[in-house]
Amino acid sequence: DAKTTQPPSMDCAEGRAANLPCNHSTISGNEYVYWYRQIHSQGPQYIIHGLKNNETNEMASLIITEDRKSSTLILPHATLRDTAVYYCIVRSQGAQKLVFGQGTRLTINP
Amino acid sequence: DAGVTQSPTHLIKTRGQQVTLRCSPKSGHDTVSWYQQALGQGPQFIFQYYEEEERQRGNFPDRFSGHQFPNYSSELNVNALLLGDSALYLCASSPTSADTQYFGPGTRLTVL
């Protein structure tokens, strides 16, 4: 699975959009981009995933660049409860495991 | 619809002991994966069970073993506990082995 690079930490004001970047320059054609988040001492929560098209659900939007070498997770109106570690994961189609990196620690400030 | 459940929530053991952790998958899911998360690190894949067999294994010693039952629930067993086995143990379930994985709340194991 391709390696991902994320900033170790980010801050965002409550009510603003939080944009979390992820680089995956070695991604191959059959690899998906997954996002999970983990609130302190809880299990990771699935957010969204995509292959090459932008995706949106009730939690977030995922923007993948045309060359697929990077992506951005967007939380449109961040709340204090969005404070968590966010993991960007690249996973091959058919792969059984998730490979987690260090993630981005996002802090939402009042 | 209950999500993934794990038991116990917390556990304290001493070095050399053995421990069994339990996981019940979400309804409709038949695949269970186990992860270990040390403090300050991302989760690390231990193994995955599907159709009551271990399908893939991460870089963990044979002291870590598992089982899946006909109702798709699963157990993780760790023998000869070491201090370094102290971690949050996470179970994730999915509809198939390659589908999106949904995690349980984890079991916090402390080895003294």
Side-chain angles (χ1 to χ4, degrees):
Chain A
D1 295 322
K3 181 177 168 57
T4 62
T5 304
Q6 299 178 253
S9 64
M10 292 182 64
D11 285 90
C12 181
E14 188 178 19
R16 304 296 294 269
N19 297 281
L20 292 94
C22 180
N23 285 317
H24 30 79
S25 59
T26 61
I27 194 169
S28 60
N30 70 341
E31 290 182 317
Y32 289 77
V33 179
Y34 278 77
W35 284 84
Y36 283 79
R37 73 181 182 183
Q38 188 171 26
I39 297 168
H40 183 62
S41 293
Q42 298 180 21
Q45 178 188 23
Y46 166 75
I47 302 173
I48 198 167
H49 75 281
L51 183 61
K52 49 186 174 182
N53 297 322
N54 297 338
E55 302 287 344
T56 296
N57 63 20
E58 65 279 2
M59 288 183 68
S61 294
L62 173 60
I63 308 299
I64 303 174
T65 58
E66 195 167 339
D67 63 7
R68 302 187 67 240
K69 293 185 177 183
S70 66
S71 61
T72 301
L73 179 75
I74 301 173
L75 308 178
H77 305 288
T79 71
L80 298 179
R81 286 181 292 183
D82 292 321
T83 292
V85 177
Y86 287 76
Y87 295 100
C88 169
I89 298 166
V90 169
R91 184 187 187 194
S92 299
Q93 187 175 22
Q96 290 153 317
K97 66 179 182 180
L98 296 170
V99 179
F100 288 81
Q102 294 292 98
T104 295
R105 182 171 298 279
L106 174 67
T107 302
I108 306 300
N109 300 305
Chain B
D1 174 30
V4 180
T5 60
Q6 293 186 243
S7 62
T9 306
H10 296 85
L11 203 52
I12 299 175
K13 292 285 189 178
T14 58
R15 281 181 299 174
Q17 284 190 312
Q18 177 264 343
V19 68
T20 297
L21 311 181
R22 296 176 176 82
C23 171
S24 292
K26 278 176 63 99
S27 176
H29 290 189
D30 60 10
T31 301
V32 173
S33 303
W34 286 93
Y35 293 79
Q36 179 196 65
Q37 186 173 25
L39 202 60
Q41 304 296 316
Q44 300 294 307
F45 177 78
I46 303 174
F47 41 53
Q48 184 182 83
Y49 275 83
Y50 171 64
E51 290 185 338
E52 301 180 49
E53 290 190 12
E54 183 182 297
R55 297 294 176 171
Q56 188 179 12
R57 188 178 184 92
N59 188 25
F60 280 82
D62 292 343
R63 298 186 298 108
F64 289 77
S65 63
H67 187 77
Q68 186 178 36
F69 299 93
N71 68 353
Y72 309 123
S73 67
S74 176
E75 288 182 350
L76 164 66
N77 301 293
V78 187
N79 293 322
L81 285 167
L82 304 174
L83 296 179
D85 295 331
S86 294
L88 181 66
Y89 287 85
L90 296 159
C91 167
S93 75
S94 52
T96 70
S97 63
D99 263 323
T100 299
Q101 296 183 11
Y102 296 87
F103 285 81
T107 294
R108 171 73 60 188
L109 172 65
T110 302
V111 182
L112 301 176

